[in-house]
Amino acid sequence: MSSMIEVKSVQKSFGRLKVINDCSFNIEKGSITGMIGPNGAGKSTIFNIIAGTIPLDTGNIILDGEDVTNQTANALFGKGLLRTFQIAHEFSHMTALENLMMVPPRQLGENLFNAWFQPGKVARQETKNRRKALEVIDYIGLDHVKNELAGNLSGGQKKLLELGRTMMTDSKVVLLDEVAAGVNRTLLKGLTDNILRMNRDLGVTFLVIEHDMDMIAKLCDPVIVLAQGSVMVEGKIEDIQNNPQVIEAYFGSTDAA
């Protein structure tokens, strides 16, 4: 497989604190790659660098063969890279269906000229977006709450809705930030199943930061372990869980006193 994302010798400091230290790894096309590590390992920082939320100091980020180093999140969105958040960012006073319809970029109705002088084109595009939103909301299993205000949905339903929003664009790669946080086990199974389906059916590549090791074990191959701002080890979850370096990084030395 070829690489969807290449992280090359990235470094990032905040003042005198170096958070990312010569970090390099690849995310292969079509993979669901997990990223784990102890608190303070730099997971969120490297995630934000890839997503265009914060700039790196040195190094490069390559997306599908293109150098996108320090491009903005909006620019990366246009190139098919999306991210979700630990806390869902829904439009709470709009329905679940309307939240999905808001996602596609360059909507004609956003332009006042089009709204006044090309209402037919605007209406046709809105009909197309609504049709796709209905397909997506059925796909993710939220059809029964499509007309509910998004602010009234449960935490797990909001996470599903956010995952659905990534399907409203031609996304190549989705960055998932602790998608299991605050989600009950029933809805978590729905989230996991939908991620697997999107990967299988739509070819979406995923990079997942997650503390839920059961979810990582079900979803991810390979798994990257970050420690002190750089990659400690990478491999299958079974090997990672039995790796002495990883055990020590999480739990401290297991040697007898």
Side-chain angles (χ1 to χ4, degrees), residues 15-228:
R16 296 182 179 180
L17 178 64
K18 180 169 282 189
V19 179
I20 303 298
N21 183 23
D22 195 25
C23 185
S24 299
F25 58 87
N26 289 354
I27 305 299
E28 301 300 332
K29 285 184 180 179
S31 71
I32 304 178
T33 300
M35 179 174 287
I36 65 174
N39 292 334
K43 302 184 299 297
S44 293
T45 301
I46 196 66
F47 220 59
N48 287 327
I49 288 171
I50 295 170
T53 307
I54 60 174
L56 52 75
D57 295 334
T58 61
N60 297 90
I61 305 295
I62 311 297
L63 174 64
D64 201 15
E66 178 186 353
D67 192 325
V68 295
T69 304
N70 285 342
Q71 290 194 16
T72 65
N74 284 341
L76 294 172
F77 175 82
K79 299 177 189 295
L81 186 149
L82 295 85
R83 71 162 297 172
T84 66
F85 295 86
Q86 182 176 356
I87 301 174
H89 287 52
E90 78 284 350
F91 297 103
S92 60
H93 297 295
M94 301 176 72
T95 68
L97 187 65
E98 289 167 342
N99 266 261
L100 296 182
M101 292 177 65
M102 285 287 293
V103 174
R106 298 179 294 278
Q107 296 196 39
L108 296 174
E110 296 172 355
N111 184 294
L112 190 59
F113 177 88
N114 292 329
W116 281 353
F117 298 107
Q118 301 187 75
K121 285 186 177 181
V122 172
R124 284 192 293 274
Q125 187 184 60
E126 287 185 352
T127 298
K128 180 181 177 182
N129 289 341
R130 181 179 177 84
R131 187 182 304 119
K132 183 168 184 178
L134 286 168
E135 292 173 356
V136 168
I137 209 161
D138 180 63
Y139 186 95
I140 61 176
L142 290 181
D143 184 66
H144 61 296
V145 293
K146 65 185 177 185
N147 295 318
E148 183 66 59
L149 293 180
N152 295 337
L153 301 181
S154 71
Q157 289 171 331
K158 289 177 181 180
K159 293 288 182 72
L160 278 168
L161 183 63
E162 188 149 319
L163 190 64
R165 281 168 30 187
T166 71
M167 297 175 63
M168 291 296 296
T169 67
D170 296 324
S171 54
K172 298 178 181 178
V173 55
V174 176
L175 311 181
L176 298 176
D177 186 359
E178 295 195 29
V179 69
V183 180
N184 68 50
R185 304 313 294 183
T186 300
L187 283 174
L188 183 58
K189 183 181 185 305
L191 273 169
T192 303
D193 289 346
N194 274 288
I195 293 165
L196 289 167
R197 288 171 64 201
M198 288 175 64
N199 175 254
R200 180 188 66 238
D201 299 345
L202 307 177
V204 178
T205 302
F206 288 92
L207 175 59
V208 183
I209 289 180
E210 188 52 66
H211 288 294
D212 189 317
M213 288 298 104
D214 290 338
M215 187 176 187
I216 287 286
K218 182 172 181 179
L219 281 178
C220 301
D221 183 18
V223 176
I224 297 168
V225 182
L226 237 60
Q228 298 181 336

